[in-house]
Amino acid sequence: MMIATFSNARTTLACAHKGYTEGFNTAFRGGSVMGYALCSLGVFVLWVLLTFYRKVYPEADDWEILFDCAAGYGLGGSTVAMFGRVGGGIYTKAADVGADLVGKVVAGLDEDDPNNPATIADNVGDNVGDIAGMGADLFGSFAESTCAALVIAAAAVEGSNNTLSAAGWDAMLFPVAISAAGIVICILCGFFATNISPVKVEADIEKVLKIQMVLTAILMLPVIYYLAVLLLPEHFRLEGVRLTESGHQAKIHGSPFKAFICATMGCVGGLIIGLVTEYFTSHSFIPTRELASACKFGTAVNIIQGLALGYKSCIVPVFVLSSAIFVSFQLCDLYGIALAALGMLATLSCGLTIDGFGPISDNAGGIAEMALFNPEVRRRTDALDAAGNTTAAIGKGFAIGSAALVSLALYGAFVIRLRVKTGVNILEPTTFAFLIIGCMILVKFNGSQLGIYGRWGDGGRGAEVALQQVEWTDLKEQFSMKDSKGKTLLTGSTELKPDSKTCIQISTQASIREMVAPACLVILSPLAAGTFFGIQAVFGLLTGSLGSSVQLAISMSNSGGAWDNCKKFIKNGFSDDVELRYTKNPQTEEEKKAAPKAKEAHDAAVQGDTVGDPFKDTSGPALNIVMKLQAIVSLVFAAYFAAINHGHGLIQVQ
């Protein structure tokens, strides 16, 4: 967050004095700090932890206990991610919704106008939500996917010495090696974007970011194959969760090539999800342009079209994830799914770099507006930000896709850890009942998040506190206050200054208060189900949560990203349709003639973006933490659940 904050102003100055090349490079390198620091610390701390535990459990027969202990690493990462993502999302959107509705719609101010007291809180919120929140989210995915692979790999096969634990410590650490190699590949590819083929004109921005994403994925494939051949034995056996015809658990026969294919499915699948996300959220493609055209017919049409766009954007990612799960499961059972998740996260350093690029560019535009730079500087930062919105949506797509694979791998590790010999039967009454409850918990969590921004009244909390106290009370007082010359903030007073501290204080208090209940709901629900109703209830809870989270998370994230880019598409005059060229002060006759329709379209886009803000930055991305956190809590407390009435819970439902 500190480096991102420093990079904001530097990106503005680079765009002002040196053009697109230095502006892009500054924002990109600022985002790379989060990418490389997070991944490097994640791998290093996990390696230190495993090395320490290995001294406590030096024998291969005890490594199953060792990796059970290490699963707490994933639980810690996900718990912090829940508070970071939810709290950060509430903070940034509490400020952003207020800044948009009052600043743009009510007072008619430009985005990031220095006279809007909510502007500073909005810019601070970008760092809190998109830098800290997204970083914590993907760190949780990284930690959990690695822990799931390690727990599954350590599961001993009765009567067989041909296991990964028998092959030695290096074979066990194959998942960690994938993540470590990914950092090196991403560092090398980073020079392509900043030195070998830098951004020179506006059209290069999205192209360079896309090449960066594709190049890292392609270069990872031979590296993963080399590591698999180097570290894994020619043949190995693993505990499976599938049942044979005789009703016994199948024993999985793996090989380095099978492991490579599993990781490849995740790596390539993540790339496809990223490209599909770009297609649905970038203003360079048809869906967002059609959304901009819908703004001519009002806010309602814009919102309906945006929701439809988000729903349609789920189709390809879900098929990609299903294919990755099917192939990986066929080859290496649950270990294969864990490797697919690691393959998708192998280029996490690059993904986080590109993701951090977005909020840095966004805040650079805010600084250009507040510092009264030439409008050309804001146009350059907006071009960077528009690409950043798309790349942020791509980052969220990676996070959601990897979360689905990670959750399934953790679910499987939970089943293996319990030594369930009969498999998971969703037609068990308890399991099916809690499957429905698992879906309900997800809806409740989502409703709580969105409700923060819509609640109204004297007892309201969260963002509506900002709406009530800041917008309608505090802002009106500030806008109506006159200086010694009789001027107000809106009429160019040089004596009065906007009070930003009130917005920041309200957003901070709201985020801290409002993130507690959703986090407790997610963490405590599997504990309550397992304690009172047994492991079958936990199976149902995890199935319902996983099955319903993926589509909802993808659709909300992509709808929000499309609404945001639609607004910028209209505002910056990128459209060939003159009716959509929004100009605050029209000069030519053509602009004056089109001004009323352009203003209506722009206002509709702003309100659509206001709806999309909590979609893409709070509720949507938080759903992937729901499924991950419930799964890792279940895995860590597996022995506890099994110990209560032999896994039947305190309320024994037969």
Side-chain angles (χ1 to χ4, degrees):
M1 286 177 65
M2 181 179 68
I3 297 299
T5 304
F6 291 157
S7 301
N8 297 339
R10 294 174 182 178
T11 301
T12 307
L13 291 173
C15 287
H17 301 300
K18 298 183 179 179
Y20 284 112
T21 302
E22 285 303 314
F24 175 90
N25 288 353
T26 304
F28 187 85
R29 287 166 178 156
S32 70
V33 173
M34 177 176 70
Y36 297 124
L38 185 145
C39 295
S40 300
L41 283 172
V43 172
F44 176 72
V45 173
L46 181 58
W47 177 79
V48 170
L49 190 67
L50 293 176
T51 303
F52 170 77
Y53 276 130
R54 191 185 177 193
K55 292 184 178 181
V56 181
Y57 302 104
E59 301 298 327
D61 292 341
D62 296 328
W63 286 353
E64 190 169 359
I65 303 173
L66 185 159
F67 291 116
D68 277 345
C69 296
Y73 182 67
L75 176 60
S78 246
T79 304
V80 174
M82 169 59 72
F83 289 103
R85 166 56 82 186
V86 175
I90 293 171
Y91 183 103
T92 182
K93 293 307 115 183
D96 199 357
V97 168
D100 281 355
L101 286 183
V102 149
K104 299 175 188 175
V105 178
V106 177
L109 298 174
D110 284 338
E111 186 171 5
D112 298 315
D113 191 290
N115 292 320
N116 187 346
T119 295
I120 296 291
D122 181 16
N123 289 343
V124 172
D126 287 335
N127 286 338
V128 175
D130 290 335
I131 298 292
M134 176 61 82
D137 181 2
L138 285 168
F139 173 77
S141 290
F142 163 80
E144 288 160 336
S145 61
T146 308
C147 290
L150 294 173
V151 170
I152 295 169
V157 179
E158 296 178 6
S160 175
N161 292 322
N162 193 18
T163 61
L164 286 176
S165 56
W169 187 248
D170 290 346
M172 295 297 300
L173 292 190
F174 172 62
V176 182
I178 293 176
S179 300
I183 298 172
V184 179
I185 294 297
C186 291
I187 289 175
L188 296 176
C189 291
F191 290 105
F192 179 88
T194 57
N195 297 89
I196 299 174
S197 179
V199 170
K200 295 179 180 178
V201 296
E202 183 181 317
D204 290 340
I205 300 171
E206 282 195 15
K207 181 181 70 175
V208 168
L209 291 174
K210 187 189 296 185
I211 291 175
Q212 181 79 3
M213 187 173 60
V214 173
L215 189 62
T216 52
I218 292 175
L219 291 181
M220 271 306 300
L221 299 183
V223 174
I224 293 174
Y225 181 76
Y226 173 76
L227 290 174
V229 173
L230 179 68
L231 299 177
L232 296 177
E234 291 186 9
H235 300 284
F236 56 88
R237 300 185 71 190
L238 295 169
E239 283 277 4
V241 292
R242 285 178 291 181
L243 299 179
T244 61
E245 293 181 358
S246 59
H248 297 90
Q249 275 186 297
K251 303 298 185 275
I252 307 304
H253 297 269
S255 67
F257 183 73
K258 288 182 178 180
F260 162 70
I261 294 297
C262 293
T264 298
M265 290 298 295
C267 190
V268 175
L271 177 61
I272 295 172
I273 290 174
L275 295 176
V276 170
T277 302
E278 180 192 30
Y279 174 76
F280 278 98
T281 58
S282 172
H283 60 66
S284 301
F285 299 100
I286 293 174
T288 301
R289 295 196 172 203
E290 288 182 342
L291 189 62
S293 297
C295 290
K296 291 188 292 185
F297 304 102
T299 303
V301 178
N302 177 32
I303 291 176
I304 292 170
Q305 181 76 3
L307 289 173
L309 180 152
Y311 293 146
K312 289 188 289 186
S313 70
C314 296
I315 298 172
V316 175
V318 168
F319 273 109
V320 168
L321 288 172
S322 300
S323 301
I325 290 169
F326 179 80
V327 173
S328 301
F329 196 82
Q330 286 288 345
L331 293 176
C332 289
D333 206 85
L334 290 171
Y335 186 64
I337 293 176
L339 290 180
L342 283 168
M344 189 173 288
L345 294 170
T347 58
L348 181 57
S349 299
C350 174
L352 282 172
T353 296
I354 294 175
D355 194 70
F357 169 87
I360 290 174
S361 301
D362 190 2
N363 283 347
I367 291 172
E369 189 78 25
M370 289 184 287
L372 304 178
F373 272 80
N374 187 295
E376 176 62 22
V377 178
R378 181 59 194 259
R379 200 185 75 81
R380 290 172 181 172
T381 60
D382 275 354
L384 294 175
D385 183 29
N389 281 331
T390 300
T391 56
I394 291 172
K396 292 180 181 74
F398 269 95
I400 295 164
S402 63
L405 296 175
V406 168
S407 300
L408 188 56
L410 290 169
Y411 188 175
F414 174 60
V415 175
I416 287 178
R417 180 68 184 84
L418 290 171
R419 293 288 193 270
V420 177
K421 302 296 184 183
T422 57
V424 177
N425 182 5
I426 64 169
L427 294 181
E428 285 281 340
T430 304
T431 306
F432 191 81
F434 273 85
L435 186 153
I436 305 298
I437 293 173
C439 297
M440 179 277 299
I441 288 176
L442 181 77
V443 174
K444 164 62 179 170
F445 177 87
N446 214 25
S448 298
Q449 293 293 293
L450 290 176
I452 292 169
Y453 307 99
R455 209 181 297 128
W456 194 263
D458 294 336
R461 296 172 294 170
E464 75 281 7
V465 173
L467 292 175
Q468 270 186 278
Q469 296 183 7
V470 178
E471 292 179 14
W472 303 113
T473 304
D474 186 68
L475 275 182
K476 282 191 174 183
E477 289 179 1
Q478 290 193 49
F479 288 156
S480 62
M481 194 179 298
K482 295 182 179 181
D483 62 12
S484 59
K485 299 179 182 178
K487 292 187 176 182
T488 66
L489 281 174
L490 299 178
T491 56
S493 171
T494 57
E495 299 176 13
L496 298 174
K497 301 296 180 183
D499 178 19
S500 300
K501 291 184 179 179
T502 304
C503 285
I504 294 174
Q505 184 179 18
I506 289 175
S507 297
T508 303
Q509 292 174 349
S511 64
I512 293 173
R513 182 177 61 245
E514 294 290 346
M515 71 182 178
V516 175
C520 289
L521 174 69
V522 174
I523 294 172
L524 296 179
S525 56
L527 291 176
T531 300
F532 293 103
F533 297 94
I535 59 174
Q536 292 295 332
V538 181
F539 291 155
L541 194 75
L542 296 181
T543 304
S545 175
L546 174 60
S548 55
S549 290
V550 178
Q551 292 89 339
L552 194 56
I554 293 174
S555 66
M556 294 183 76
S557 177
N558 289 348
S559 289
W563 275 319
D564 197 345
N565 276 344
C566 168
K567 176 195 67 178
K568 287 183 170 59
F569 184 70
I570 294 174
K571 177 188 172 185
N572 293 328
F574 293 136
S575 176
D576 294 331
D577 187 345
V578 71
E579 292 181 349
L580 294 184
R581 288 185 188 170
Y582 171 69
T583 308
K584 188 173 183 181
N585 298 308
Q587 301 295 327
T588 65
E589 288 298 323
E590 191 178 40
E591 288 178 345
K592 291 178 181 179
K593 184 178 179 181
K597 287 187 177 180
K599 178 68 167 59
E600 290 175 7
H602 179 260
D603 288 349
V606 168
Q607 295 186 41
D609 177 43
T610 304
V611 174
D613 277 335
F615 268 48
K616 68 182 175 65
D617 290 327
T618 305
S619 298
L623 293 177
N624 57 45
I625 304 179
V626 174
M627 46 184 169
K628 290 186 300 183
L629 189 51
Q630 286 187 329
I632 192 68
V633 167
S634 302
L635 174 60
V636 171
F637 286 91
Y640 164 72
F641 297 148
I644 301 177
N645 287 332
H646 305 289
H648 294 292
L650 296 176
I651 303 174
Q652 297 189 45
V653 180
Q654 299 296 335

